[in-house]
């Protein structure tokens, strides 16, 4: 059975009893609010299995509350926000087919407290926390109150981490307020909020960053540090590439960078903090490097020091001179006068 919720995969009977609308090729929504109690239960069971993986659903109230699922697909990652009434879901062995592609589901709990079981562990996930589930193995989730959570479905094959590290994290509650967990949850929350507005190309890039941050989180929990050239560094590298392409823009700032790369300003700062740097300091250093190079070129005589500073995004010549002196130990004019002739080029 397909794990995606789409008009193509729902039966004609489901369509006649379920309120389904498609906002785009990658966005679907379903609500059972307008259905009778009997139709609501049947339609919700179908919807849950289509939006996630085949599971049994047991309602913990006599009349099932209305439920809603809104799903988006960004490249290989599917995002689903679910809100409904008390229920328990179980994925038993009889529902796990040999041909199923293993999927990891990370759920950000927004409302209600969930009890999760997998791999011999049991944990309680409260609002503000998150947990990870592997759909290739038996699991159970129970919520005895109205709830809302956002889940992110990652193909296991896309995540470059050891299997033993993932098994150690299932049915474990994580606090998304600090460290690598904060980086991960801040980005995923922002990505989910913007998902409906992203085109296919940008969506795939956003999904790739999410996979990088999930790998970073798994490695961090396992006590590993990945090399700088691994996929875990890809998020900051993509942001740095954007900065370098826009160095000439005097309005370049953490807020514009974050918005263009679909991350929060907080996450942007944390990515640079992990490298012992600041966003502003990194931008300033790259601009000064470009200026120092151009000051030693013949064209500098025509443009002038102030012109070169403006060319690389320094709006204030006095600020540029102070920053240059602090970085190079001399003024731009002294540098240009030939203090470093070996650096000259045409």
């Amino acid at each position: 059975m397909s794990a995606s919720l789409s008009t193509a995969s729902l039966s004609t009977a489901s369509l006649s009893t379920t309120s389904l609308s498609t906002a785009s090729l990658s966005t679907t929504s379903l609500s059972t609010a307008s259905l009778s109690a009997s139709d609501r239960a049947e339609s919700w069971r179908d919807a849950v299995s289509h939006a996630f993986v085949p599971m049994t659903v047991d309602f913990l109230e006599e009349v099932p509350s209305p439920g809603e699922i809104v799903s988006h697909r960004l490249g290989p990652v599917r995002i689903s926000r679910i809100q409904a009434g008390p229920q328990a879901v179980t994925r038993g062995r009889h529902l796990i087919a040999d041909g199923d592609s293993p999927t990891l589901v990370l759920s950000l709990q927004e409302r209600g407290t969930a009890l999760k079981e997998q791999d011999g562990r049991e944990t309680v996930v409260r609002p503000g926390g998150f947990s990870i589930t592997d759909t290739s193995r038996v699991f159970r989730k129970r919520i005895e109150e109205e709830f809302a959570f956002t889940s992110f479905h990652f193909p296991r094959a896309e995540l470059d981490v050891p299997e033993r590290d993932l098994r150690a994290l299932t049915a474990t509650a994580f606090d998304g307020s600090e460290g690598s967990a904060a980086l991960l949850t801040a980005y995923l929350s922002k990505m989910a909020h913007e998902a409906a507005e992203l085109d296919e190309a940008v969506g795939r890039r956003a999904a790739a960053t999410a996979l990088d941050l999930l790998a970073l989180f798994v490695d961090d929990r396992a006590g590993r540090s990945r090399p700088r050239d691994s996929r875990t560094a890809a998020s900051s590298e993509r942001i740095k590439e954007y900065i370098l392409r826009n160095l000439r823009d005097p309005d370049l700032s953490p807020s514009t960078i974050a918005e263009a790369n679909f991350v929060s300003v907080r996450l942007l700062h944390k990515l640079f903090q992990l490298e012992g740097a600041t966003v502003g300091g990194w931008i300033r250093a790259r601009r000064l490097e470009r200026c120092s190079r151009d000051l030693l070129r013949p064209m500098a005589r025509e443009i002038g020091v102030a012109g070169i500073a403006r060319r690389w995004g320094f709006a204030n010549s006095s600020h540029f001179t102070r920053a240059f002196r602090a970085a190079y130990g001399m003024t731009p004019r002294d540098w240009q006068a030939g203090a470093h002739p070996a650096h000259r080029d045409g």
Side-chain angles (χ1 to χ4, degrees):
M1 184 178 293
S2 172
S4 62
L5 176 63
S6 65
T7 54
S9 61
L10 290 177
S11 66
T12 303
S14 291
L15 287 174
S16 66
T17 59
T18 302
S19 173
L20 178 67
S21 63
T22 304
S24 69
L25 292 177
S26 60
T27 301
T28 56
S29 63
L30 176 145
S31 173
T32 62
S34 63
L35 304 180
S36 66
S38 58
D39 288 341
R40 184 180 296 165
E42 180 181 358
S43 295
W44 183 253
R45 288 188 175 100
D46 289 342
V48 167
S49 289
H50 280 92
F52 292 87
V53 289
M55 296 185 288
T56 58
V57 179
D58 296 313
F59 296 101
L60 304 181
E61 53 187 347
E62 186 174 345
V63 178
S65 298
E68 181 180 66
I69 301 175
V70 179
S71 297
H72 309 281
R73 179 173 288 280
L74 301 180
V77 178
R78 190 171 70 258
I79 305 169
S80 297
R81 188 179 189 277
I82 301 90
Q83 53 184 358
Q87 59 189 264
V89 296
T90 304
R91 182 158 166 82
R93 296 185 185 280
H94 65 289
L95 294 175
I96 302 175
D98 292 337
D100 287 350
S101 298
T103 301
L104 299 174
V105 181
L106 186 152
S107 298
L108 300 179
Q109 198 70 22
E110 300 169 18
R111 188 172 70 248
T113 298
L115 177 66
K116 300 190 70 173
E117 302 173 45
Q118 189 169 42
D119 296 329
R121 290 187 296 274
E122 182 178 285
T123 192
V124 174
V125 188
R126 294 182 171 82
F130 70 92
S131 60
I132 296 172
T133 301
D134 189 331
T135 65
S136 67
R137 299 192 299 280
V138 172
F139 66 82
R140 178 178 170 82
K141 181 176 183 178
R142 181 183 180 92
I143 308 180
E144 298 184 347
E145 57 191 318
E146 290 189 356
F147 65 86
F149 64 85
T150 300
S151 65
F152 302 82
H153 308 239
F154 299 94
R156 175 63 183 92
E158 297 285 337
L159 194 65
D160 183 22
V161 295
E163 181 64 24
R164 64 180 180 276
D165 292 349
L166 280 174
R167 281 181 178 263
L169 301 183
T170 56
T172 302
F174 300 103
D175 180 2
S177 64
E178 59 183 24
S180 59
L183 288 175
L184 179 60
T185 56
Y187 182 81
L188 291 180
S189 296
K190 179 69 172 178
M191 184 173 75
H193 184 264
E194 302 291 342
E197 306 302 322
L198 305 183
D199 63 28
E200 182 178 356
V202 175
R204 286 187 175 279
R205 292 179 60 189
T209 299
L211 283 160
D212 293 338
L213 289 175
L214 179 55
L216 173 65
F217 171 74
V218 174
D219 285 343
D220 180 40
R221 289 288 163 169
R224 292 187 175 85
S225 296
R226 291 200 162 200
R228 285 289 301 143
D229 60 352
S230 73
R231 289 184 64 199
T232 59
S235 301
S236 59
E237 292 306 314
R238 276 192 289 270
I239 290 173
K240 287 177 180 177
E241 289 174 6
Y242 172 83
I243 292 173
L244 292 177
R245 291 196 304 270
N246 293 275
L247 272 181
R248 297 176 186 268
D249 183 359
D251 295 323
L252 188 67
S253 68
S255 59
T256 61
I257 296 167
E259 182 178 0
N261 288 274
F262 303 100
V263 300
S264 67
V265 174
R266 179 184 177 190
L267 174 57
L268 176 67
H269 285 304
K270 283 185 175 293
L271 286 172
F272 278 82
Q273 287 171 9
L274 286 175
E275 301 179 1
T278 66
V279 179
W282 198 87
I283 293 172
R284 183 169 57 253
R286 303 293 82 75
R287 283 173 167 166
L288 288 172
E289 288 172 357
R290 270 57 173 183
C291 289
S292 68
R293 180 193 62 195
D294 285 359
L295 284 167
L296 298 179
R297 289 178 171 172
M299 58 89 168
R301 300 187 188 96
E302 298 179 8
I303 298 177
V305 171
I308 289 176
R310 287 193 299 273
R311 188 171 188 243
W312 290 108
F314 287 100
N316 185 290
S317 59
S318 297
H319 169 68
F320 166 65
T321 298
R322 289 194 299 270
F324 194 95
R325 184 193 290 274
Y328 292 89
M330 64 183 70
T331 67
R333 293 192 184 282
D334 288 340
W335 179 274
Q336 186 183 33
H340 290 267
H343 290 81
R344 291 181 178 276
D345 61 35

